[in-house]
Amino acid sequence: MLDGGFTDDLGQFARGDLSVADDSVRHRPVADEEGCLCLAVTDAPLHFTGALGLILNPFVKF
């Protein structure tokens, strides 16, 4: 986390925190009131869930 913070099923994350997850984690972050700025690195394509995911998933496949 570069700035701000968010909360997800794994807990609350603030500036300086690092989260490492595998494909078993359903990441559903909720940004804090001040927002958040994150650096994300993936080793596989993202798979979005929900209604918007049906639209976005075809564009994130490599």
Side-chain angles (χ1 to χ4, degrees):
M1 178 64 58
L2 301 175
D3 195 27
F6 71 88
T7 303
D8 69 6
D9 291 344
L10 299 177
Q12 187 174 19
F13 297 88
R15 185 176 183 181
D17 287 342
L18 173 69
S19 176
V20 178
D22 59 24
D23 60 358
S24 68
V25 175
R26 290 189 63 168
H27 181 60
R28 293 181 152 188
V30 176
D32 292 349
E33 281 190 28
E34 71 273 6
C36 65
L37 177 62
C38 304
L39 173 64
V41 178
T42 65
D43 63 357
L46 298 175
H47 178 76
F48 297 104
T49 58
L52 187 58
L54 295 173
I55 298 167
L56 294 176
N57 281 328
F59 298 102
V60 296
K61 303 293 182 193
F62 294 118

